Amino acid sequence: MTTAIPYFDWPARSADWADDIVEVFREVAESDEFILKSRVERLESEIAARTGAAHAIAVASGTGALSVILAALGLGDGDEVVTPAFSFVSTASTVALRGARPVFADVEYETGLLDPAAAEAAVTARTRALLPAYLFSGSPKMGAFAELAARRGLHLIEDSAIALGATVDGRPAGRHGHAGVYSFFPAKPAGGIGDAGMIVTDDDELARTARMLRNHGQPAGKRFYHELLGFNCRMDELTAGFLLRKLPHLDRLLERRREIAAIYEEGLRPLGPALLPPPAGFEDRSVYTYVVRAQQRDELRAQLAREGIETAVYYPRPLHLQPAFAYLGHGPGDFPVAEQLSRESLALPLHPDMAPGAAERVVAAVNRFCTAGR
């Protein structure tokens, strides 16, 4: 079956950036700089300037960024971190791999984002940090989480992996707590040519420790001297060089994503309650994926596939029901909103390389399905 509208058009993306990729590869190959050198340092400076952060620390992935932050904060055995039950696995796995306990809380049905009230109810005497995650095209209620963290004496870590370029309450995403992260995984709005990530923080000591931890615990300028037990979590020069070329175009690419989201919003909003789009208003968001909630999700997905429209499901199983977290003792019904979203969520194609008229064709196909049974 031919895919007329792919969920993500990798060939089109590669064509857009082919010359840059070749030029960066040649530059790096002809240099003696491969890991954590001048291009990485320039990228750190540009991200710090863009976000207003005192420090930007380049790492090997968005997941690596979370791991380094948690380690730099000293989280470990006996500590708890409150995080959403509906998210990508790294918001919880990074906590568990530190020996700490991920404490799940339910999410809001309208957004899929961590519910501040549920998060507060999950806080105990052992809680050390809050870890809300940005999701799809939405931003958590960071003001509420900042207030809760300050009142309860908790670290606030933003899993803002998808959200470079977004703002929340007038501040850049990732800049509301002790530290935030960005991911440059290729499909992300600020995607590169491989895994890579960035930590942003104003905390001098956290930044100093994070820089050591990403590189086997070595202080700057002291090779083979290991002050800490660290990670191999370093960004390479190829990725940094490409991102330096792409970053000036980020605002334009984000605006194109918002334009497509607006087309979906206008065409799909009337279909409720059978199909519900995400909350309106994309002006300040980093629209990563456009996820609708459909009562007949699987049937809709099958029909769209028959029409050559590729979709994705985020996430078919909530975190508390994943086998990897069975040791936490959760079962069906513990986080009902997360479980409902796992049954209903469907991501429609949305990326800057979508052909003219493609979003309108998706809207028409969804409308045909939703109105056929009325």
Side-chain angles (χ1 to χ4, degrees):
M1 182 183 298
T2 301
T3 300
I5 304 177
Y7 181 70
F8 197 93
D9 195 339
W10 294 104
R13 179 184 185 273
S14 298
D16 287 344
W17 298 99
D19 290 343
D20 295 278
I21 293 170
V22 171
E23 289 172 14
V24 168
F25 187 90
R26 182 181 298 112
E27 290 172 3
V28 173
E30 292 174 353
S31 74
D32 62 350
E33 297 188 330
F34 301 101
I35 305 289
L36 291 185
K37 298 296 184 181
S38 63
R39 294 168 186 81
V40 171
E41 291 172 357
R42 283 168 50 205
L43 181 64
E44 289 177 331
S45 295
E46 292 198 14
I47 296 295
R50 182 184 180 102
T51 62
H55 307 279
I57 303 100
V59 292
S61 67
T63 298
L66 289 176
S67 296
V68 168
I69 291 170
L70 293 166
L73 292 174
L75 272 69
D77 291 345
D79 296 328
E80 294 181 351
V81 178
V82 176
T83 196
F86 186 72
S87 181
F88 184 62
V89 67
S90 62
T91 54
S93 63
T94 52
V95 175
L97 288 169
R98 289 298 307 156
R101 183 181 180 87
V103 176
F104 294 124
D106 217 342
V107 295
E108 302 167 331
Y109 180 65
E110 293 77 12
T111 65
L113 298 163
L114 184 62
D115 184 331
E120 179 159 16
V123 172
T124 73
R126 294 179 296 278
T127 304
R128 290 278 310 281
L130 304 175
L131 181 48
Y134 290 64
L135 200 67
F136 307 146
S137 57
S139 304
K141 294 182 171 65
M142 293 311 306
F145 290 116
E147 187 279 330
L148 172 59
R151 177 161 43 86
R152 301 297 294 267
L154 306 174
H155 297 297
L156 177 57
I157 306 164
E158 284 179 78
D159 184 354
S160 43
I162 67 170
L164 181 62
T167 58
V168 183
D169 299 330
R171 299 192 66 187
R175 300 287 291 111
H176 295 259
H178 291 85
V181 308
Y182 306 121
S183 170
F184 302 113
F185 177 77
K188 295 290 195 294
I193 52 175
D195 261 334
M198 189 74 68
I199 298 166
V200 287
T201 183
D202 288 340
D203 187 320
D204 295 342
E205 182 59 26
L206 189 153
R208 187 188 77 85
T209 304
R211 290 185 184 280
M212 285 193 289
L213 287 169
R214 72 175 174 180
N215 190 20
H216 297 287
Q218 298 178 111
K222 290 188 176 183
R223 192 179 183 193
F224 303 133
Y225 176 82
H226 305 277
E227 187 172 320
L228 302 170
L229 292 176
F231 308 94
N232 181 357
C233 194
R234 306 169 297 192
M235 185 184 289
D236 65 79
E237 291 287 299
L238 280 171
T239 296
F242 176 77
L243 289 170
L244 285 167
R245 290 168 177 257
K246 185 173 183 179
L247 196 59
H249 301 275
L250 179 59
D251 291 335
R252 171 181 61 83
L253 296 172
L254 290 175
E255 184 55 34
R256 175 58 180 151
R257 287 174 174 272
R258 293 171 185 138
E259 290 172 358
I260 297 169
I263 293 170
Y264 283 151
E265 162 67 21
E266 181 179 3
L268 301 179
R269 180 65 59 185
L271 296 178
L275 182 137
L276 298 172
F282 303 100
E283 295 80 6
D284 298 325
R285 302 187 206 169
S286 177
V287 181
Y288 173 39
T289 52
Y290 191 91
V291 175
V292 299
R293 292 155 287 155
Q295 294 178 6
Q296 294 180 288
R297 189 267 309 279
D298 295 339
E299 294 84 351
L300 171 60
R301 190 181 192 204
Q303 179 58 40
L304 293 178
R306 285 190 286 270
E307 297 193 35
I309 299 171
E310 187 179 14
T311 58
V313 173
Y314 300 98
Y315 294 99
R317 184 184 295 231
L319 292 179
H320 67 287
L321 299 182
Q322 293 285 351
F325 297 111
Y327 72 95
L328 295 174
H330 295 297
D334 284 357
F335 302 101
V337 179
E339 293 170 32
Q340 183 175 0
L341 290 173
S342 291
R343 294 189 298 268
E344 296 182 0
S345 294
L346 183 67
L348 304 178
L350 189 154
H351 54 84
D353 298 304
M354 285 184 72
E360 288 85 352
R361 290 168 61 191
V362 175
V363 167
V366 174
N367 270 269
R368 283 194 295 273
F369 175 86
C370 290
T371 57
R374 291 186 177 181

